Amino acid sequence: MRIVTSVAAMQRLAIEWNRRGVPVGLVPTMGYLHAGHVSLMRKARERSGKHGVVVLSIYVNPTQFAPTEDLANYPRDLPRDKKLCRDAGVDVVFVPGNQQMYPARPTAKFSTYVVEEMLSRGMEGVSRPTHFRGVATVVAKLFNIVRPDVAVFGAKDFQQAAIVKRMARDLNFPVKIIVAPTVRETDGLALSSRNKYLSADERAQAVALWQAIQQARQTVRASTHPIPASRLSSELKWLIETRPAARVDYIEFFDPETFQPTAKVERGAHIALAVFVGKTRLIDNARI
Ligand code: AMP
């Protein structure tokens, strides 16, 4: 397994693979890897084939964090990440620093961003207004640097995956975007690097997100008619906030293709929610 830290070296490798017709699979991450990331590595391997290569990038991208967010504290453990990648058969770990991705040139400041204007309007786009601009920009950069044939994203970040798909289509990136299912703990909590921030007590309360999703499913499936979204989300908010450390940021029901909110919830609709558990902001989503 190779560790590549410079953009130029990564791009040289990618150009050489492209020239030789070697299929390339990319898994973009921010590191502090867990079983959710490993499932994406496996998908990338499956899709790029045994003659293909799998690149996993680790980069905590500053442009997708607001100044008030957890950029400085974001958990990092490169030695452990490398071991997980090696065990999963990753060929190249691409770990660029900020100087590589956003070179600080006093006379030529970084000033080009990619903005998706439809799917990024709601939910995470409301709570984190510059987040998806940062995500789309760094993913576009990674696509130009690694030149993947397939790139694998997790359904855990459902809105992000949809935006990346739209960006790739709109901007003609020759890459197939694969969305892999959310990997969960046995009690249903979605794996996330941010779960590390939770105290033992908060960790126990964090299961509220998954319980709310299940409650929404049960309510909708047991009903013979569509349920008003406002009623359902107030019930779920109440259920979540019975846990003392939990505070709902948003609960939304929407069409998974258009991301338009639905006024009446029925099977096939999608739920997404963001909840603060203590100071930690967790997100989850699922098909109802
Ligand atoms: P992150 O390192 O959190 O930026 O995530 C990198 C990629 O892993 C993204 O495409 C995420 O959607 C995906 N991911 C994170 N958590 C999970 C999970 N629990 N199950 C599946 N994919 C995940």
Side-chain angles (χ1 to χ4, degrees), residues 63 101-113 133 141:
T63 65
M101 292 298 273
Y102 300 101
R105 296 188 195 101
T107 51
K109 207 173 156 290
F110 185 89
S111 59
T112 307
Y113 292 90
R133 180 183 85 148
K141 284 167 71 68

Side-chain angles (χ1 to χ4, degrees), residues 15 25 32 51 100 155 223:
I15 289 166
Y32 208 73
H51 302 298
Q100 286 291 313
S223 168

Side-chain angles (χ1 to χ4, degrees), residues 247-268:
R247 185 172 61 75
V248 170
D249 179 3
Y250 66 77
I251 299 174
E252 197 150 310
F253 298 94
F254 59 98
D255 177 307
E257 295 296 321
T258 62
F259 281 70
Q260 288 301 309
T262 46
K264 303 254 183 189
V265 187
E266 51 194 329
R267 264 179 116 113

